Amino acid sequence: MSDCLFCKIVKGQIKSDIVYQDDDVIAFRDINPQAPHHILCIPRQHIATVNEFTPTQAPLIGKLVLTASNIAKQLQVDQDGYRIVMNCNRMAGQTVFHVHLHLLAGRPMHWPPG
Ligand code: AMP
Ligand code: ZN
């Protein structure tokens, strides 16, 4: 997707503060952090929303979660705790239509979220 912000980050056309990358996923710091640690884990492949996930992408979806938990361990927030969130479409507040998993940590998280 040539006009997708996160595809541009994947291609290196927009700079980002990358904390992890491999052949399938990239993780980088959110430009507008909502917690002391706010990292986005995305697939390199363009997938617009969680609604477009297919069964064959199950390993990729799992890898996004594993990437987040590994980063949480590296940041040493795994024992205190953290939140992972994927917003889907308008009512959830999705603004970038390339699926991404938010990793939020470093402050108490309220439930239910606003
Ligand atoms: P969402 O509202 O779930 O679609 O989340 C999109 C997230 O992308 C927001 O938290 C934004 O702050 C973040 N974001 C937007 N542009 C950039 C960028 N260039 N680099 C890093 N994060 C970004
Ligand atoms: Zn994209």
Side-chain angles (χ1 to χ4, degrees):
M1 286 283 287
S2 57
D3 59 347
C4 169
L5 177 68
F6 286 176
C7 281
K8 287 179 180 168
I9 285 178
V10 168
K11 291 179 200 154
Q13 293 169 348
I14 291 178
K15 273 186 65 176
S16 62
D17 186 359
I18 293 173
V19 298
Y20 174 80
Q21 59 181 320
D22 63 26
D23 289 346
D24 304 310
V25 306
I26 298 184
F28 52 94
R29 294 197 177 278
D30 196 292
I31 204 167
N32 182 23
Q34 301 301 309
H37 298 292
H38 187 172
I39 287 156
L40 302 174
C41 304
I42 72 169
R44 286 186 183 274
Q45 178 185 354
H46 180 86
I47 303 165
T49 81
V50 169
N51 289 332
E52 278 71 50
F53 279 146
T54 63
T56 56
Q57 291 165 344
L60 178 62
I61 299 161
K63 195 162 179 182
L64 290 173
V65 177
L66 285 170
T67 297
S69 77
N70 285 335
I71 293 169
K73 287 171 189 157
Q74 282 167 17
L75 294 172
Q76 298 186 309
V77 297
D78 52 311
Q79 294 306 307
D80 279 345
Y82 55 93
R83 180 169 290 168
I84 57 177
V85 178
M86 297 184 88
N87 295 322
C88 183
N89 277 337
R90 179 176 57 87
M91 291 283 269
Q94 184 176 4
T95 59
V96 178
F97 288 84
H98 179 132
V99 289
H100 48 281
L101 184 152
H102 296 259
L103 165 61
L104 297 144
R107 65 166 172 80
M109 302 288 157
H110 304 293
W111 191 263

